[in-house]
Amino acid sequence: MELKWLEDMLSLSTTLSFSRAARERNITQSALSRRIKQLEDWLGSPLFDRSSYPIRLTEAGRTFLPRAQDILRQVQGARQELRQQHEDAAETLVFSTLNTLSLTYFPSLIRRLEETLGPLKTRFCDQRSSFDGNVALLDRGECDFLLTYAHEAVSPELDPERFTYRRLGSERAIPVSIPDGNGAPLHAFRCGDAPVRLLSYGSSTFFARRLALLFAERPTPLVTVYENPMSVGLKAMVLAGRGVAWVPESLVVEELRSGQLVPAADTSWYVSAEIRIYRARQQGRLPVEQFWAALAESSRPAKSQNPGRAPVSASA
């Protein structure tokens, strides 16, 4: 029996979809199906009823699920304890972060704080394709900080008595397209027009949920022609002329400036998000506390700054 079989089962028991679970586990659907079958063969009993839609746990699956969770919890706890000992010695700060922020925001954040703290040792957890997957890494104590997008309607489900956060800035995701011969968007996005070719995040990422709110408020004819949970993947397909995607503005600054890409709709279709960093309230290692204190100091407005324009610093 392999631990990855248990992780596969937990993912499938949550999504109840082989395709969504495969994306979450970053494997092919056939590989996921094969590994679930191997676990069932090892246990000697089917865990999922595949004859229903969506699939559902069998009685044996419901019995085994809490045991699988407990096994993983114990193994992950032992692993985290050993890693913690190593990281204490190395003074490494561990981050869970969304893919786009790891490319666009994280480097400048670390560079800014190193001006105060000196050289920092940092490490990313294994990145998850889903929003909840990245949040869970902090919830389980597998990282020191979660760097994420957030919105009042799409926020990480973290216990406010256990976790706190600071607001670091904001981001806009804008619909972009390649231009036509006249410089207008080749795939223009206007409410009420013919269906637009949408390059989609799927359903489990932050921007997927943020855009679902937008489309619910403003029903629009869409045809999804491609899915990818990562913004950089959608950007590549936009540049290939395959359709429209909502991409974080920080990721397409140069392409917009050069004219390789153009906005596909007016600004009323842009969606906003906060950039937040979360951590546990419980006292952490010295490097964690030093980083958090420096973060608070760097977010504090200068004395001469107009108070009405001061950046938001921390959540209580």
Side-chain angles (χ1 to χ4, degrees):
M1 195 273 290
E2 300 183 37
L3 286 178
K4 63 185 178 183
W5 296 353
L6 302 182
E7 293 171 339
D8 292 341
M9 181 196 175
L10 264 59
S11 178
L12 187 56
S13 68
T14 299
T15 63
L16 299 179
S17 164
F18 277 91
S19 59
R20 289 198 295 272
R23 286 197 297 271
E24 173 68 25
R25 298 288 293 140
N26 198 29
I27 59 176
T28 65
Q29 187 171 334
S30 60
L32 175 69
S33 180
R34 182 173 60 255
R35 284 172 14 181
I36 291 294
K37 185 64 169 58
Q38 288 173 321
L39 177 59
E40 291 174 326
D41 290 343
W42 187 81
L43 289 168
S45 181
L47 299 173
F48 294 91
D49 180 2
R50 296 163 175 78
S51 65
S52 64
Y53 184 82
I55 63 170
R56 60 187 178 185
L57 286 164
T58 62
E59 183 175 352
R62 290 191 296 272
T63 299
F64 183 68
L65 180 60
R67 290 174 171 80
Q69 292 169 329
D70 187 54
I71 292 168
L72 284 173
R73 191 178 300 114
Q74 291 186 45
V75 172
Q76 289 166 350
R79 177 188 182 214
Q80 179 61 22
E81 183 178 349
L82 292 174
R83 281 193 169 187
Q84 190 72 52
Q85 292 174 2
H86 172 74
E87 288 162 4
D88 284 345
E91 297 187 346
T92 301
L93 298 171
V94 185
F95 292 80
S96 171
T97 182
L98 305 187
N99 182 266
T100 298
L101 289 172
S102 73
L103 299 173
T104 63
Y105 190 84
F106 184 81
S108 61
L109 172 67
I110 297 303
R111 184 170 58 249
R112 174 162 52 91
L113 292 183
E114 284 186 331
E115 294 176 1
T116 301
L117 298 172
L120 294 171
K121 297 178 181 179
T122 60
R123 177 174 69 80
F124 285 156
C125 291
D126 295 335
Q127 289 183 325
R128 301 293 192 267
S129 61
S130 74
F131 182 55
D132 291 339
N134 282 286
V135 173
L137 292 172
L138 180 64
D139 193 34
R140 294 198 300 261
E142 295 187 30
C143 62
D144 300 310
F145 302 102
L146 167 67
L147 181 63
T148 182
Y149 292 121
H151 181 267
E152 59 183 9
V154 189
S155 294
E157 293 186 5
L158 290 167
D159 183 352
E161 293 187 359
R162 293 177 54 211
F163 299 95
T164 186
Y165 69 88
R166 296 191 187 280
R167 301 179 182 91
L168 302 180
S170 60
E171 176 76 279
R172 296 190 303 181
I174 66 177
V176 290
S177 165
I178 60 170
D180 61 17
N182 298 317
L186 180 63
H187 302 283
F189 191 94
R190 289 184 292 270
C191 189
D193 278 7
V196 177
R197 293 173 57 87
L198 179 67
L199 309 177
S200 169
Y201 286 94
S203 61
S204 61
T205 67
F206 170 82
F207 279 116
R209 298 181 186 182
R210 184 69 182 87
L211 289 169
L213 295 175
L214 176 68
F215 297 147
E217 294 169 357
R218 304 175 69 175
T220 307
L222 301 168
V223 55
T224 299
V225 297
Y226 177 71
E227 288 189 9
N228 192 320
M230 295 192 294
S231 299
V232 289
L234 295 180
K235 171 186 169 181
M237 291 297 281
V238 173
L239 287 168
R242 302 304 299 159
V244 173
W246 268 254
V247 180
E249 192 170 14
S250 58
L251 199 61
V252 290
V253 170
E254 292 303 321
E255 289 79 6
L256 290 170
R257 183 180 294 126
S258 67
Q260 285 181 276
L261 296 176
V262 294
D266 63 62
T267 57
S268 70
W269 287 97
Y270 294 11
V271 297
S272 62
E274 289 183 351
I275 300 173
R276 295 181 185 176
I277 187 166
Y278 284 79
R279 61 157 293 181
R281 289 184 181 276
Q282 182 178 359
Q283 183 81 11
R285 296 173 292 120
L286 180 59
V288 172
E289 300 304 327
Q290 290 174 331
F291 183 89
W292 194 251
L295 197 62
E297 186 64 30
S298 69
S299 300
R300 194 166 294 150
K303 291 183 179 179
S304 60
Q305 192 171 2
N306 181 344
R309 297 179 61 83
V312 180
S313 58
S315 167

